[in-house]
Amino acid sequence: MKTLAFIHSNSTQTAVGDFAPVTSVFSHYELGNTVSPFLLLDHLGPGILKPSKLRKGVDEHPHRGFETVTMMFKGELEHIDSTGGGGIIAAGDVQWMTAASGILHKEVFSQAFSETGGPFEMLQLWVNLPAKDKMNAPRYQSLRAGSIPKINLAQDAGWLRVIAGEYLGHTGPAKVHSPMQVYDVFMAQGHTVQLPAQSGDTTLIYMRSGRAAFQPDDEQLQDSGLAVMSSFGDDVELTALQDCSILYLSAAPFAEPLYGRGYFVMNHYDEVMQAYEDLKNGTFIQSAAQEEGSETEL
């Protein structure tokens, strides 16, 4: 069984564009290859959007060399790219965007949600791409809530949604470039759950809300805390001391150089400088994003 290596916490809340409050849970700038192949996690909200005709969010910006995974829990987001692609991410939906060779897009609350207002909450995860895939064509995967397997845990311990990877024979709809598990998990107070991970994997557990323990003497994982598990041993066991909503991530790390600046994550400095040159010269977009949907109801 994997043991707890350390808990990383950041209680500072900032704004990203018009999005606020935003908690920067972790980034590769702080933790380096400790979190590979994961790069960054931001937690937007929970909060309340006041009704407005303004479309709050982040204006058009570029990405290259990695993927963004946007998980919507409350509210409704719209993404629009420079080639006219895009769509709505509603509560329960996940958008898996492969920026790869380059994409320009903006992310704003949908017009309908902006006008009605209401509670909002989402996570955005950045996932690195292997060097061989960094200059592929960009792609959107729209993973609707009904297409994401939801498994009830034994003894009424809660439930688990498989966004990527596999759990007890259920496979998540996300198409990935390297094997990984991405789960949205609810654990009921007083229950213990075992989650799969392999020895050598990077395994991270983000506590959206709640409180849990790994071993009686370990530091407890609480609201907005990130547990970084040891790479040694298989699987993770976690006991809910309160009702818990968590994001569970596990994957094999990359044995490749990493160089990131701003919106670009590549392997080397000159590749990032090339991205800035391409942006300046109008040659950044090399192909339009491919759109893939997942509409099947389970």
Side-chain angles (χ1 to χ4, degrees):
M1 199 70 64
K2 290 184 181 292
T3 57
L4 176 67
F6 62 92
I7 290 178
H8 177 74
S9 296
N10 179 16
S11 59
T12 303
Q13 293 187 325
T14 59
V16 176
D18 293 329
F19 288 141
V22 177
T23 301
S24 177
V25 178
F26 73 83
S27 79
H28 64 94
Y29 294 115
E30 304 166 278
L31 299 180
N33 285 329
T34 303
V35 294
S36 174
F38 308 109
L39 295 168
L40 174 149
L41 180 65
D42 281 345
H43 187 176
L44 170 63
I48 302 292
L49 180 69
K50 295 180 179 178
S52 172
K53 293 189 179 299
L54 298 176
R55 304 284 300 281
K56 290 189 174 182
V58 181
D59 210 348
E60 188 174 83
H61 57 282
H63 290 303
R64 176 179 283 179
F66 63 99
E67 304 180 288
T68 66
V69 182
T70 304
M71 293 160 267
M72 208 73 193
F73 299 101
K74 299 176 184 177
E76 193 172 79
L77 194 71
E78 183 176 7
H79 66 98
I80 307 163
D81 75 30
S82 56
T83 65
I88 299 292
I89 313 169
D93 294 348
V94 175
Q95 182 211 66
W96 198 293
M97 187 193 80
T98 305
S101 60
I103 201 165
L104 288 163
H105 78 153
K106 65 179 179 180
E107 300 155 291
V108 294
F109 289 122
S110 71
Q111 182 173 345
F113 182 64
S114 297
E115 291 177 354
T116 63
F120 64 85
E121 183 182 8
M122 75 178 189
L123 295 176
Q124 187 169 92
L125 172 71
W126 290 15
V127 179
N128 201 10
L129 285 170
K132 65 182 181 62
D133 296 321
K134 283 186 175 291
M135 294 302 289
N136 288 354
R139 177 179 68 183
Y140 288 119
Q141 297 178 71
S142 297
L143 311 178
R144 301 302 178 194
S147 74
I148 300 172
K150 184 176 179 180
I151 300 101
N152 291 323
L153 302 175
Q155 284 85 47
D156 295 322
W159 49 258
L160 181 152
R161 295 200 308 152
V162 188
I163 296 168
E166 186 268 347
Y167 180 78
L168 297 181
H170 299 269
T171 302
K175 297 177 182 179
V176 296
H177 289 79
S178 59
M180 65 183 64
Q181 285 76 47
V182 179
Y183 303 155
D184 171 27
V185 186
F186 172 77
M187 295 174 55
Q189 181 177 351
H191 289 272
T192 298
V193 172
Q194 188 169 311
L195 299 171
Q198 297 183 17
S199 184
D201 281 358
T202 296
T203 303
L204 310 173
I205 302 172
Y206 175 60
M207 182 67 73
R208 281 175 50 217
S209 64
R211 186 163 59 92
F214 300 93
Q215 300 290 337
D217 296 331
D218 280 343
E219 184 180 357
Q220 293 178 2
L221 181 62
Q222 303 187 49
D223 291 355
S224 303
L226 177 78
V228 179
M229 307 305 293
S230 168
S231 62
F232 301 105
D234 295 326
D235 303 337
V236 172
E237 192 170 88
L238 186 66
T239 299
L241 305 179
Q242 299 173 352
D243 285 354
C244 295
S245 295
I246 68 173
L247 175 67
Y248 180 81
L249 307 171
S250 192
F254 292 168
E256 298 179 349
L258 175 68
Y259 191 87
R261 280 294 178 269
Y263 297 115
F264 310 129
V265 182
M266 303 300 287
N267 296 103
H268 303 286
Y269 169 83
D270 59 345
E271 294 171 321
V272 170
M273 293 301 102
Q274 185 63 56
Y276 281 108
E277 282 298 308
D278 290 346
L279 196 63
K280 182 174 67 177
N281 296 333
T283 57
F284 183 75
I285 300 299
Q286 302 188 11
S287 57
Q290 304 166 359
E291 294 269 357
E292 295 187 14
S294 182
E295 304 291 344
T296 306
E297 296 291 333
L298 298 181

